[in-house]
Amino acid sequence: DAGVIQSPRHEVTEMGQEVTLRCKLISGHNSLFWYRQTMMRGLELLIYFNNNVPIDDSGMPEDRFSAKMPNASFSTLKIQPSEPRDSAVYFCASSRNQPQHFGDGTRLSIL
Amino acid sequence: DQQVKQNSPSLSVQEGRISILNCDYTNSMFDYFLWYKKYPAEGPTFLISISSIKDKNEDGRFTVFLNKSAKHLSLHIVPSQPGDSAVYFCAASKIRGSTLGRLYFGRGTQLTVWP
């Protein structure tokens, strides 16, 4: 079975541009988690969904960040406008109960 | 505030010896604990877990021990192999309650196994 699929794997863009990260859940999973990993803060949870409904978005750093689940198998994380301090590796993970299964991440660089 | 702590950022062990990675937590509501392994340029992968009703869980070379009174868990790898070199994350969850499914992660420990 395919795992969690994230795209793109790498994104380099200029400050002020809109960035959209994509995630495809494992079939049958009903929970979706977006994480950000940085040297300073480690692996931090941004937002998570259960059955397509956002449960906790308290980790979303600012209004510039938004996440959606347009259907049960797909999610997007959007940053608009992007800033250099948003540079990090962004992971999504899906689960049905435990454990969570992670994608390989998107390495985002904002110049 | 970090509810799950891994106080050793790195550990170096010789091949064939035991690796012991430690993790402490502060929230007594946690009742399910997991270890993940992460290689560079890949996502974390699930390794082993333990429920709070147990104090030990074993899977091949990997054993996780839970000491609830001390709010401490450890991962033992015996024997260690060079392919075990990775970052190991400890995570905790509250199975019961409103944060269903959420994991709280430690900062990770870089394990290096040398020949």
Side-chain angles (χ1 to χ4, degrees), chain A residues 15-65:
Chain A
M15 175 178 165
Q17 297 296 308
E18 178 180 292
V19 173
T20 300
L21 311 182
R22 296 174 174 80
C23 176
K24 185 175 187 301
L25 285 70
I26 292 173
S27 177
H29 284 191
N30 63 344
S31 293
L32 183 281
F33 305 81
W34 280 103
Y35 293 89
R36 178 171 68 175
Q37 185 181 29
T38 60
M39 290 293 291
M40 289 288 290
R41 300 174 68 88
L43 195 61
E44 56 178 334
L45 178 67
L46 300 178
I47 184 171
Y48 73 101
F49 297 80
N50 189 251
N51 293 323
N52 299 7
V53 176
I55 303 300
D56 184 352
D57 65 354
S58 60
M60 297 285 262
E62 299 171 31
D63 291 344
R64 299 184 295 107
F65 286 68

Coordinates of all heavy atoms in Angstrom, one line a residue, chain A residues 15-65:
Chain A
M15 N 10.3 35.5 -0.9 CA 9.5 36.1 0.1 C 8.3 36.8 -0.5 O 8.4 37.5 -1.6 CB 10.4 37.1 0.9 CG 9.7 37.9 1.9 SD 10.9 39.0 2.7 CE 9.8 40.1 3.5
G16 N 7.1 36.6 0.1 CA 5.9 37.3 -0.4 C 5.1 36.4 -1.3 O 3.9 36.7 -1.5
Q17 N 5.7 35.3 -1.9 CA 4.9 34.4 -2.7 C 4.0 33.5 -1.9 O 4.3 33.2 -0.8 CB 5.9 33.6 -3.6 CG 6.8 34.4 -4.5 CD 5.9 35.1 -5.6 OE1 5.1 34.5 -6.3 NE2 6.1 36.4 -5.7
E18 N 3.0 33.0 -2.6 CA 2.1 32.0 -2.0 C 2.7 30.6 -2.2 O 3.2 30.3 -3.2 CB 0.7 32.1 -2.6 CG -0.2 31.0 -2.1 CD -1.6 31.1 -2.8 OE1 -2.3 32.1 -2.5 OE2 -1.9 30.1 -3.5
V19 N 2.7 29.9 -1.1 CA 3.2 28.5 -1.1 C 2.1 27.5 -0.8 O 1.3 27.8 0.2 CB 4.3 28.3 -0.1 CG1 4.8 26.9 0.0 CG2 5.5 29.2 -0.5
T20 N 1.9 26.5 -1.5 CA 0.9 25.4 -1.2 C 1.6 24.1 -1.2 O 2.3 23.6 -2.1 CB -0.2 25.4 -2.3 OG1 -0.8 26.6 -2.4 CG2 -1.2 24.3 -2.0
L21 N 1.5 23.5 0.0 CA 2.0 22.1 0.2 C 0.8 21.1 0.2 O -0.3 21.4 0.7 CB 2.7 22.0 1.6 CG 3.7 23.2 1.9 CD1 4.4 22.9 3.2 CD2 4.8 23.2 0.8
R22 N 1.1 19.9 -0.4 CA 0.0 19.0 -0.6 C 0.3 17.7 0.1 O 1.5 17.3 0.3 CB -0.2 18.8 -2.1 CG -0.7 20.0 -2.8 CD -0.8 19.8 -4.3 NE -1.3 21.0 -4.9 CZ -0.7 22.1 -5.2 NH1 0.6 22.2 -4.9 NH2 -1.3 23.1 -5.8
C23 N -0.8 17.0 0.5 CA -0.6 15.7 1.2 C -1.7 14.8 0.9 O -2.9 15.2 0.9 CB -0.6 16.0 2.7 SG -0.5 14.5 3.8
K24 N -1.4 13.6 0.5 CA -2.4 12.5 0.3 C -2.3 11.5 1.4 O -1.2 10.9 1.7 CB -2.1 11.9 -1.1 CG -3.2 10.8 -1.5 CD -3.0 10.3 -2.9 CE -4.1 9.4 -3.3 NZ -4.3 8.3 -2.4
L25 N -3.4 11.3 2.1 CA -3.5 10.4 3.2 C -3.4 8.9 2.7 O -3.7 8.6 1.6 CB -4.8 10.6 4.0 CG -4.9 11.8 4.9 CD1 -5.1 13.1 4.1 CD2 -6.1 11.6 5.8
I26 N -3.1 8.0 3.7 CA -3.2 6.6 3.4 C -4.7 6.3 3.4 O -5.5 6.7 4.2 CB -2.5 5.8 4.5 CG1 -1.0 6.0 4.4 CG2 -2.8 4.3 4.4 CD1 -0.2 5.4 5.5
S27 N -5.1 5.4 2.4 CA -6.5 5.0 2.3 C -7.0 4.4 3.6 O -6.4 3.5 4.2 CB -6.6 4.0 1.1 OG -7.9 3.6 1.0
G28 N -8.2 4.9 4.0 CA -8.8 4.4 5.2 C -8.5 5.2 6.5 O -9.1 5.0 7.5
H29 N -7.4 6.0 6.4 CA -7.1 6.8 7.6 C -8.1 8.0 7.7 O -8.5 8.6 6.7 CB -5.7 7.4 7.4 CG -4.7 6.3 7.8 ND1 -3.3 6.6 7.9 CD2 -4.8 5.0 8.0 CE1 -2.7 5.5 8.2 NE2 -3.5 4.5 8.2
N30 N -8.4 8.4 8.9 CA -9.4 9.5 9.1 C -8.8 10.7 9.9 O -9.6 11.6 10.2 CB -10.6 8.9 9.7 CG -10.4 8.4 11.1 OD1 -9.2 8.1 11.5 ND2 -11.4 8.2 11.9
S31 N -7.6 10.6 10.2 CA -7.0 11.8 10.9 C -5.8 12.2 10.1 O -5.0 11.4 9.6 CB -6.5 11.4 12.3 OG -7.6 11.1 13.2
L32 N -5.6 13.5 10.1 CA -4.5 14.2 9.3 C -3.8 15.2 10.2 O -4.5 16.0 10.8 CB -5.1 14.8 8.0 CG -4.2 15.5 7.0 CD1 -3.8 16.9 7.4 CD2 -3.0 14.6 6.7
F33 N -2.5 15.2 10.2 CA -1.7 16.1 11.0 C -0.7 16.8 10.2 O 0.0 16.2 9.3 CB -1.0 15.3 12.1 CG -1.9 14.4 13.0 CD1 -2.3 13.2 12.5 CD2 -2.3 14.8 14.2 CE1 -3.1 12.4 13.3 CE2 -3.1 14.0 15.0 CZ -3.5 12.8 14.5
W34 N -0.5 18.1 10.4 CA 0.5 18.9 9.7 C 1.5 19.3 10.8 O 1.2 19.8 11.8 CB 0.0 20.1 9.1 CG -0.6 19.9 7.7 CD1 -1.9 19.9 7.4 CD2 0.1 19.7 6.5 NE1 -2.1 19.7 6.1 CE2 -0.9 19.6 5.5 CE3 1.4 19.6 6.1 CZ2 -0.6 19.4 4.1 CZ3 1.8 19.4 4.8 CH2 0.8 19.3 3.8
Y35 N 2.8 19.0 10.6 CA 3.9 19.3 11.5 C 4.9 20.2 10.7 O 5.1 20.2 9.5 CB 4.7 18.1 11.9 CG 3.9 17.1 12.8 CD1 3.1 16.1 12.3 CD2 4.0 17.2 14.2 CE1 2.4 15.2 13.1 CE2 3.3 16.3 15.0 CZ 2.5 15.3 14.4 OH 1.8 14.4 15.2
R36 N 5.7 20.9 11.5 CA 6.8 21.7 11.0 C 8.1 21.3 11.9 O 8.0 21.3 13.1 CB 6.6 23.2 11.1 CG 7.7 24.1 10.6 CD 7.3 25.5 10.5 NE 7.0 26.1 11.8 CZ 6.7 27.4 11.9 NH1 6.6 28.2 10.9 NH2 6.5 27.9 13.1
Q37 N 9.2 21.1 11.2 CA 10.4 20.8 11.9 C 11.5 21.8 11.7 O 11.8 22.1 10.5 CB 11.0 19.4 11.5 CG 12.2 19.0 12.4 CD 12.8 17.6 12.0 OE1 12.7 17.2 10.8 NE2 13.3 16.9 12.9
T38 N 12.0 22.4 12.7 CA 13.1 23.4 12.6 C 14.1 23.0 13.7 O 13.8 22.3 14.6 CB 12.6 24.8 12.9 OG1 12.0 24.9 14.2 CG2 11.5 25.2 11.9
M39 N 15.3 23.6 13.5 CA 16.4 23.3 14.5 C 16.0 23.9 15.9 O 16.2 23.3 16.9 CB 17.7 23.9 14.0 CG 18.3 23.2 12.8 SD 18.8 21.6 13.3 CE 20.2 22.0 14.4
M40 N 15.3 25.1 15.8 CA 15.0 25.8 17.1 C 13.9 25.1 17.9 O 14.0 25.0 19.1 CB 14.6 27.2 16.7 CG 15.8 28.1 16.2 SD 16.9 28.5 17.6 CE 15.9 29.6 18.6
R41 N 12.9 24.6 17.2 CA 11.7 24.2 17.9 C 11.4 22.7 17.7 O 10.4 22.2 18.3 CB 10.5 25.0 17.4 CG 10.6 26.5 17.6 CD 9.5 27.2 16.9 NE 8.2 27.0 17.6 CZ 7.7 27.7 18.6 NH1 8.4 28.7 19.1 NH2 6.6 27.4 19.2
G42 N 12.3 22.0 17.0 CA 12.0 20.6 16.8 C 10.8 20.3 16.0 O 10.5 21.1 15.1
L43 N 10.1 19.2 16.3 CA 8.9 18.8 15.5 C 7.7 19.4 16.2 O 7.3 18.9 17.3 CB 8.8 17.3 15.5 CG 7.9 16.6 14.5 CD1 8.3 17.0 13.0 CD2 8.0 15.1 14.6
E44 N 7.0 20.4 15.6 CA 5.9 21.0 16.3 C 4.6 20.8 15.4 O 4.6 20.9 14.2 CB 6.1 22.5 16.5 CG 6.5 23.3 15.3 CD 6.6 24.8 15.5 OE1 6.1 25.3 16.5 OE2 7.4 25.4 14.7
L45 N 3.5 20.5 16.1 CA 2.2 20.3 15.5 C 1.6 21.6 15.1 O 1.5 22.5 15.9 CB 1.3 19.5 16.4 CG -0.1 19.2 15.9 CD1 -0.1 18.2 14.7 CD2 -1.0 18.7 17.0
L46 N 1.2 21.7 13.9 CA 0.5 23.0 13.4 C -1.0 22.9 13.5 O -1.6 23.7 14.1 CB 0.9 23.2 11.9 CG 2.4 23.4 11.7 CD1 2.7 23.6 10.2 CD2 3.0 24.6 12.5
I47 N -1.5 21.8 13.0 CA -3.0 21.6 13.0 C -3.3 20.1 12.7 O -2.5 19.4 12.1 CB -3.6 22.5 11.8 CG1 -5.2 22.4 11.8 CG2 -3.1 22.1 10.5 CD1 -5.8 23.4 10.9
Y48 N -4.5 19.7 13.2 CA -4.9 18.4 12.9 C -6.4 18.3 12.7 O -7.1 19.1 13.2 CB -4.3 17.3 13.8 CG -5.0 17.2 15.2 CD1 -5.9 16.2 15.5 CD2 -4.6 18.0 16.2 CE1 -6.5 16.1 16.7 CE2 -5.1 17.9 17.5 CZ -6.0 16.9 17.7 OH -6.6 16.8 19.0
F49 N -6.7 17.3 11.8 CA -8.1 17.1 11.4 C -8.5 15.7 11.8 O -7.7 14.8 11.8 CB -8.3 17.2 9.9 CG -8.0 18.5 9.3 CD1 -6.7 18.9 9.0 CD2 -9.0 19.4 8.9 CE1 -6.4 20.2 8.5 CE2 -8.7 20.6 8.3 CZ -7.4 21.0 8.1
N50 N -9.8 15.6 12.1 CA -10.4 14.2 12.3 C -11.7 14.2 11.5 O -12.5 15.0 11.7 CB -10.7 14.0 13.8 CG -11.1 12.5 14.1 OD1 -12.2 12.2 14.4 ND2 -10.1 11.6 13.9
N51 N -11.8 13.2 10.6 CA -12.9 13.1 9.7 C -13.2 14.4 9.0 O -14.3 14.9 8.9 CB -14.2 12.6 10.5 CG -14.0 11.2 11.0 OD1 -13.5 10.3 10.4 ND2 -14.5 11.0 12.2
N52 N -12.1 15.0 8.5 CA -12.1 16.2 7.6 C -12.4 17.5 8.5 O -12.5 18.6 7.9 CB -13.2 16.1 6.5 CG -12.9 15.0 5.5 OD1 -12.0 14.2 5.8 ND2 -13.7 15.0 4.5
V53 N -12.6 17.4 9.7 CA -13.0 18.6 10.6 C -11.7 19.0 11.3 O -11.1 18.2 12.0 CB -14.1 18.2 11.6 CG1 -14.4 19.4 12.5 CG2 -15.3 17.8 10.8
P54 N -11.3 20.3 11.3 CA -10.2 20.7 12.1 C -10.5 20.6 13.5 O -11.5 21.2 14.0 CB -10.0 22.2 11.6 CG -11.3 22.6 11.0 CD -11.9 21.4 10.5
I55 N -9.6 20.0 14.3 CA -9.8 19.8 15.7 C -9.0 20.8 16.5 O -9.5 21.3 17.5 CB -9.4 18.3 16.1 CG1 -10.2 17.3 15.3 CG2 -9.6 18.1 17.6 CD1 -11.7 17.3 15.5
D56 N -7.8 21.0 16.1 CA -7.0 21.9 16.9 C -6.0 22.6 16.0 O -5.2 22.0 15.4 CB -6.2 21.1 18.0 CG -5.3 22.0 18.9 OD1 -5.2 23.3 18.6 OD2 -4.8 21.5 19.9
D57 N -6.1 23.9 15.8 CA -5.2 24.7 15.0 C -4.4 25.7 15.8 O -3.9 26.7 15.3 CB -6.0 25.4 13.9 CG -6.9 26.5 14.4 OD1 -7.1 26.6 15.7 OD2 -7.5 27.3 13.6
S58 N -4.3 25.4 17.1 CA -3.6 26.3 18.0 C -2.1 26.4 17.6 O -1.4 27.4 18.0 CB -3.7 25.9 19.4 OG -3.2 24.6 19.6
G59 N -1.5 25.5 16.9 CA -0.1 25.5 16.5 C 0.2 26.3 15.2 O 1.3 26.5 14.9
M60 N -0.9 26.7 14.6 CA -0.7 27.5 13.3 C -0.1 28.8 13.8 O -0.7 29.6 14.5 CB -2.0 27.7 12.6 CG -2.6 26.4 12.1 SD -1.7 25.7 10.7 CE -2.8 26.3 9.4
P61 N 1.1 29.2 13.2 CA 1.8 30.4 13.8 C 1.1 31.7 13.5 O 1.1 32.6 14.4 CB 3.1 30.3 13.0 CG 3.0 29.4 11.9 CD 1.9 28.5 12.2
E62 N 0.5 31.9 12.4 CA -0.1 33.2 12.1 C -1.3 33.0 11.1 O -1.5 31.9 10.5 CB 0.9 34.1 11.5 CG 2.1 34.4 12.3 CD 3.2 35.2 11.6 OE1 2.8 35.9 10.6 OE2 4.3 35.0 11.9
D63 N -2.0 34.1 10.9 CA -3.1 34.0 9.9 C -2.6 33.8 8.5 O -3.4 33.4 7.6 CB -3.9 35.3 9.9 CG -4.7 35.4 11.2 OD1 -4.9 34.4 11.9 OD2 -5.2 36.5 11.5
R64 N -1.3 33.9 8.3 CA -0.8 33.6 6.9 C -0.8 32.1 6.6 O -0.7 31.8 5.4 CB 0.7 34.1 6.9 CG 0.9 35.6 7.1 CD 2.4 36.0 6.9 NE 3.3 35.4 7.9 CZ 4.1 34.4 7.7 NH1 4.2 33.9 6.5 NH2 4.9 33.9 8.6
F65 N -1.0 31.3 7.6 CA -1.1 29.9 7.4 C -2.5 29.4 7.4 O -3.3 29.8 8.3 CB -0.3 29.1 8.5 CG 1.2 29.2 8.5 CD1 1.8 30.4 8.7 CD2 1.9 28.1 8.2 CE1 3.2 30.5 8.6 CE2 3.3 28.1 8.2 CZ 4.0 29.3 8.4

